[in-house]
Amino acid sequence: MLSILGRAPVRAGTAFVDHTPDTAPPGSRRHMEATVRHLGFLPSAMARLAASPELLDGFQRLTALFDGTTLDPVAREVVVMTVVTRNECHICVAMHSGRLRKLGADEELIAALAGQRPLANQQLEAVRQFTLAVLATAGAVDDTTLDAFLAHGYTTRNALEVVLGIGTYTLSTLANRLTRAPLDPQLTAV
C-alpha cells in the first residue's frame, strides 16, 4: 500500500531506532549519558526518544519541575500511575511501580493503581480521583470536584501541580507508545 506521497508507509515499530550516545542527535547525548550514570543502563524508551532532542529535553525538564512540586512523592506517583495506566504505557507502569516500592509503598497500593482501582488511603484516592476528573474534563472540573480534592488537605497549588504531572506524563506515554519501545527488565527496580 502506498501513502499519498507515493512511498510505502513505514511501521512505527520499525521506524524508531534505539540510539546510543554516539548515534543520537547531539542535543540528546547529555541526557542519555546522565541516564546511564544514574541507572547504569540506557532504557530503550530513552534510546528511541533521543531521536528528538527537544522532546527528550522537554520531558527531562518537566519531570524535574514536577518532582520539585509541593505534592509529596507518593502523591506525585499516584498522579503518574493514574495517567500511565489510563494511557496504557507498560513501560511507565513498570517503572513507576518500582519507584513506588522504593518509596516504601505497599503492594496493595501499587496493585490498585496498576489495576485502576480505588485506593484504601482516602487522601491518595482524592489525588487519583482529582487526576481522573481533570483528564475527563480537560481541566474543566466543577467546584464540587475541586472542593472534594481541597477537603483532603490539598491546596489550589496542588491542583495545578496535578495538571503539571498530567502534562508531563501524557507527553512521555504518548511518545513511548508511538515509538513502541520494549520494556527493559531493569526498569521495574527503578
Side-chain angles (χ1 to χ4, degrees):
M1 178 172 148
L2 297 180
S3 71
I4 54 176
L5 297 177
R7 294 184 295 222
V10 176
R11 291 178 39 103
T14 58
F16 293 96
V17 299
D18 286 0
H19 283 284
T20 67
D22 293 332
T23 66
S28 294
R29 292 176 185 164
R30 68 182 170 87
H31 291 299
M32 297 172 80
E33 290 163 353
T35 298
V36 170
R37 282 191 303 277
H38 177 70
L39 297 177
F41 74 102
L42 183 64
S44 292
M46 178 170 273
R48 291 182 184 197
L49 297 183
S52 171
E54 298 80 12
L55 183 133
L56 191 55
D57 187 56
F59 176 64
Q60 295 289 325
R61 288 174 188 239
L62 288 169
T63 299
L65 289 170
F66 185 58
D67 286 348
T69 64
T70 61
L71 284 169
D72 72 72
V74 174
R76 286 194 306 267
E77 289 301 317
V78 169
V79 173
V80 173
M81 285 289 283
T82 302
V83 172
V84 303
T85 56
R86 178 183 179 271
N87 291 347
E88 299 178 0
C89 181
H90 66 287
I91 295 168
C92 298
V93 171
M95 184 173 177
H96 290 280
S97 293
R99 280 195 184 167
L100 279 163
R101 286 182 188 95
K102 281 190 169 185
L103 291 170
D106 61 45
E107 290 301 318
E108 180 182 321
L109 173 68
I110 296 166
L113 285 165
Q116 301 180 31
R117 296 187 311 270
L119 308 178
N121 179 306
Q122 292 305 302
Q123 190 171 19
L124 294 176
E125 177 62 10
V127 173
R128 190 181 82 84
Q129 287 297 321
F130 186 71
T131 302
L132 289 169
V134 171
L135 286 163
T137 64
V141 298
D142 58 31
D143 290 342
T144 303
T145 302
L146 179 59
D147 290 344
F149 179 69
L150 299 175
H152 283 88
Y154 294 106
T155 65
T156 54
R157 179 177 179 172
N158 296 144
L160 293 171
E161 292 168 345
V162 167
V163 173
L164 175 61
I166 290 169
T168 301
Y169 287 93
T170 297
L171 171 77
S172 99
T173 60
L174 297 183
N176 287 336
R177 289 184 56 145
L178 176 66
T179 66
R180 291 169 179 75
L183 175 62
D184 297 292
Q186 305 96 314
L187 284 179
T188 57
V190 173

